[in-house]
Amino acid sequence: MFEELYDLNRLYKAYEECLHGVKWKYSIQSFQTNLLNNLYFIAESIKNGTYRQEPFVEFNIHERGKLRHIRALSFKDRIVQRNLCNIIYPIIKPKLIYDNSSCIKERGVDFARKRVKYFLQSYYKKYHTNEGWVLQIDFKKYFENIDHNTMMNIFSKYIKDTQIIDFIKYLISTFGNRGVGLGSQLSQICGILYPYRIDNWCKIIKRIKYYHRYADDTIMLFRTKEEAINILKEYTNICKQNNILLNSNKTEIKKLQNGFEFLKMKYLLDTNGLIKLVPDNSRFTRERIKLKKLDLLLIDINEQYKSWKGSLVKYKCKRRINKLDKLVRDLNEKRRY
């Protein structure tokens, strides 16, 4: 297995995958000018045990109103991690439950929303009511608090090549004594795998039918409040055993009939079983601000807006979309003069 890590054909495939959306960058074009030599140098350094990751490029971004600290890899290191993840992902994927949708091919945010909608449909079909309880769980500073020893024990359980394990251990150690940083593909693999024991406990041991997790956000549906309270107590204990902290401010039990928010979408189940998905207002506020800033910078806003709009037109937000359509028309009209 370790030989695959420095196989030139695999490295070239990883290089092609890393090119998506970044071909215009100077660092990528510089790497391409001496492509074969660069890939050969990577392969030899891994093979000889002399590979060392370059320092992270660190910066902050504001995403969905949150300040996030990013540790970005150099293009060379991205190729190495992409190839590594291509090797280990087929091994760990069978260990993941179906209702774990973050950073998994053919799943994602849309998949998660469809699953939650399906749960609501199934719940209503079984109980013929919208009365019930929603347990929402959020992990506290999830990526920052991933315990390295716990993470490596999980990897070691399923990956038997000790050289691969040592290589993963080295890469994780570059983040410091605890946690993994945003901006690394290996971090995403850690994020989907780290709570897998908890996922299995919920689905297999406790047989919670209406359960879905997307990264650090989890949702469960229950018929009674007592069920939700008891599961939360047990869930808290098993999280402590697996070195996962819960965010007490965002972990809560709500009435199903009042609706709930999950992945920036509000879900409403009425007494007739009709389900409405309403996008969070903050998404429209941020887009309005962004459109005005893009207009001031004399950047073509139409393609950006079309892409953003395409992800929301299928939900219940026609009136708010129409308002932004008018804003885009007004901005385009101003730019003509």
Side-chain angles (χ1 to χ4, degrees), residues 1-15 36 38-48 79-80 82-84 86-87 164:
M1 179 185 280
F2 185 72
E3 291 77 13
E4 295 177 302
L5 200 58
Y6 55 82
D7 181 84
L8 281 173
N9 290 327
R10 295 187 67 97
L11 284 170
Y12 183 78
K13 181 183 177 182
Y15 152 77
L36 294 179
N38 286 333
L39 291 179
Y40 179 78
F41 174 77
I42 293 173
E44 286 298 302
S45 64
I46 295 172
K47 183 178 180 179
N48 299 331
I79 293 172
V80 173
R82 170 74 70 167
N83 188 35
L84 172 66
N86 286 345
I87 295 169
I164 289 285

Side-chain angles (χ1 to χ4, degrees), residues 2 7 34 38 71 87 109 114 127 140 152 194 203 240-241:
F2 185 72
D7 181 84
N34 202 13
N38 286 333
R71 295 180 178 181
I87 295 169
V109 174
K114 288 177 182 177
Y127 298 113
K140 185 177 181 180
M152 290 310 305
Y194 191 65
K203 279 290 191 180
K240 288 180 180 178
Q241 294 170 19

Side-chain angles (χ1 to χ4, degrees), residues 290-307:
K290 183 189 292 185
L291 287 170
K292 291 179 179 179
K293 286 184 177 180
L294 290 175
D295 180 65
L296 292 172
L297 294 171
L298 300 178
I299 295 174
D300 185 12
I301 63 177
N302 295 295
E303 289 302 317
Q304 185 275 334
Y305 176 66
K306 183 179 178 182
S307 175

Side-chain angles (χ1 to χ4, degrees), residues 135-151:
L135 171 57
Q136 291 187 269
I137 292 173
D138 185 84
F139 297 150
K140 185 177 181 180
K141 295 184 178 179
Y142 178 45
F143 286 92
E144 296 174 33
N145 284 317
I146 288 179
D147 180 73
H148 290 185
N149 290 332
T150 304
M151 189 74 256

Side-chain angles (χ1 to χ4, degrees), residues 19-34:
L19 282 178
H20 182 68
V22 295
K23 290 182 181 180
W24 55 272
K25 291 186 176 181
Y26 171 78
S27 58
I28 279 72
Q29 294 176 10
S30 176
F31 188 91
Q32 288 174 317
T33 58
N34 202 13

Side-chain angles (χ1 to χ4, degrees), residues 10 27 68-69 74 97 117 178 183 202 210 239 310 323:
R10 295 187 67 97
S27 58
R68 300 186 184 276
H69 185 70
S74 68
I97 64 169
K117 184 177 180 180
R178 188 177 182 85
C202 289
Y210 311 118
C239 281
K323 285 185 177 181

Side-chain angles (χ1 to χ4, degrees), residues 91-336:
I91 299 173
I92 69 168
K93 186 180 179 182
K95 317 304 174 187
L96 307 175
I97 64 169
Y98 185 69
D99 280 296
N100 174 1
S101 60
S102 175
C103 301
I104 298 177
K105 190 176 181 180
E106 299 178 353
R107 301 184 200 176
V109 174
D110 280 344
F111 174 85
R113 288 171 179 160
K114 288 177 182 177
R115 285 295 288 172
V116 175
K117 184 177 180 180
Y118 167 76
F119 288 157
L120 291 173
Q121 292 170 334
S122 179
Y123 182 92
Y124 187 85
K125 185 176 180 180
K126 181 176 182 179
Y127 298 113
H128 306 288
T129 180
N130 69 338
E131 294 183 358
W133 297 87
V134 181
L135 171 57
Q136 291 187 269
I137 292 173
D138 185 84
F139 297 150
K140 185 177 181 180
K141 295 184 178 179
Y142 178 45
F143 286 92
E144 296 174 33
N145 284 317
I146 288 179
D147 180 73
H148 290 185
N149 290 332
T150 304
M151 189 74 256
M152 290 310 305
N153 288 337
I154 296 172
F155 277 126
S156 299
K157 184 177 180 180
Y158 299 111
I159 300 172
K160 301 306 178 183
D161 189 313
T162 56
Q163 289 179 292
I164 289 285
I165 289 297
D166 289 342
F167 193 75
I168 294 173
K169 188 175 183 179
Y170 162 69
L171 294 179
I172 290 179
S173 71
T174 61
F175 293 108
N177 296 325
R178 188 177 182 85
V180 295
L182 297 174
S184 158
Q185 189 177 3
L186 183 60
S187 298
Q188 301 303 320
I189 294 290
C190 292
I192 62 176
L193 183 62
Y194 191 65
Y196 90 102
R197 291 193 182 103
I198 299 173
D199 291 338
N200 290 333
W201 177 82
C202 289
K203 279 290 191 180
I204 300 171
I205 305 300
K206 305 306 292 185
R207 299 193 177 188
I208 302 172
K209 181 178 180 181
Y210 311 118
Y211 172 96
H212 193 87
R213 180 172 69 85
Y214 186 93
D216 57 344
D217 293 317
T218 302
I219 190 164
M220 297 178 238
L221 305 181
F222 297 97
R223 185 70 184 92
T224 66
K225 188 174 183 179
E226 288 71 24
E227 287 181 276
I229 292 172
N230 290 335
I231 287 295
L232 179 57
K233 288 179 180 177
E234 293 184 66
Y235 192 96
T236 302
N237 290 332
I238 197 170
C239 281
K240 288 180 180 178
Q241 294 170 19
N242 287 273
N243 293 310
I244 294 177
L245 303 176
L246 296 188
N247 187 334
S248 58
N249 295 326
K250 294 183 179 180
T251 297
E252 53 189 344
I253 298 172
K254 300 178 180 179
K255 287 185 177 181
L256 177 59
Q257 57 266 43
N258 293 340
F260 60 91
E261 288 189 10
F262 184 66
L263 299 180
K264 298 298 179 181
M265 192 70 65
K266 185 165 186 178
Y267 293 80
L268 298 167
L269 174 65
D270 68 15
T271 54
N272 297 317
L274 181 64
I275 301 167
K276 296 179 182 178
L277 273 67
V278 184
D280 186 77
N281 280 327
S282 62
R283 300 185 66 174
F284 294 88
T285 302
R286 287 194 300 272
E287 183 64 14
R288 186 179 295 108
I289 294 170
K290 183 189 292 185
L291 287 170
K292 291 179 179 179
K293 286 184 177 180
L294 290 175
D295 180 65
L296 292 172
L297 294 171
L298 300 178
I299 295 174
D300 185 12
I301 63 177
N302 295 295
E303 289 302 317
Q304 185 275 334
Y305 176 66
K306 183 179 178 182
S307 175
W308 177 87
K309 178 180 173 181
S311 64
L312 292 177
V313 290
K314 55 189 172 183
Y315 301 113
K316 191 173 180 62
C317 54
K318 184 177 180 181
R319 180 178 58 83
R320 289 177 289 176
I321 287 288
N322 288 341
K323 285 185 177 181
L324 285 180
D325 285 343
K326 183 179 182 303
L327 174 62
V328 172
R329 288 195 298 270
D330 291 343
L331 292 174
N332 284 326
E333 188 66 25
K334 288 179 182 179
R335 293 175 65 183
R336 292 178 183 175

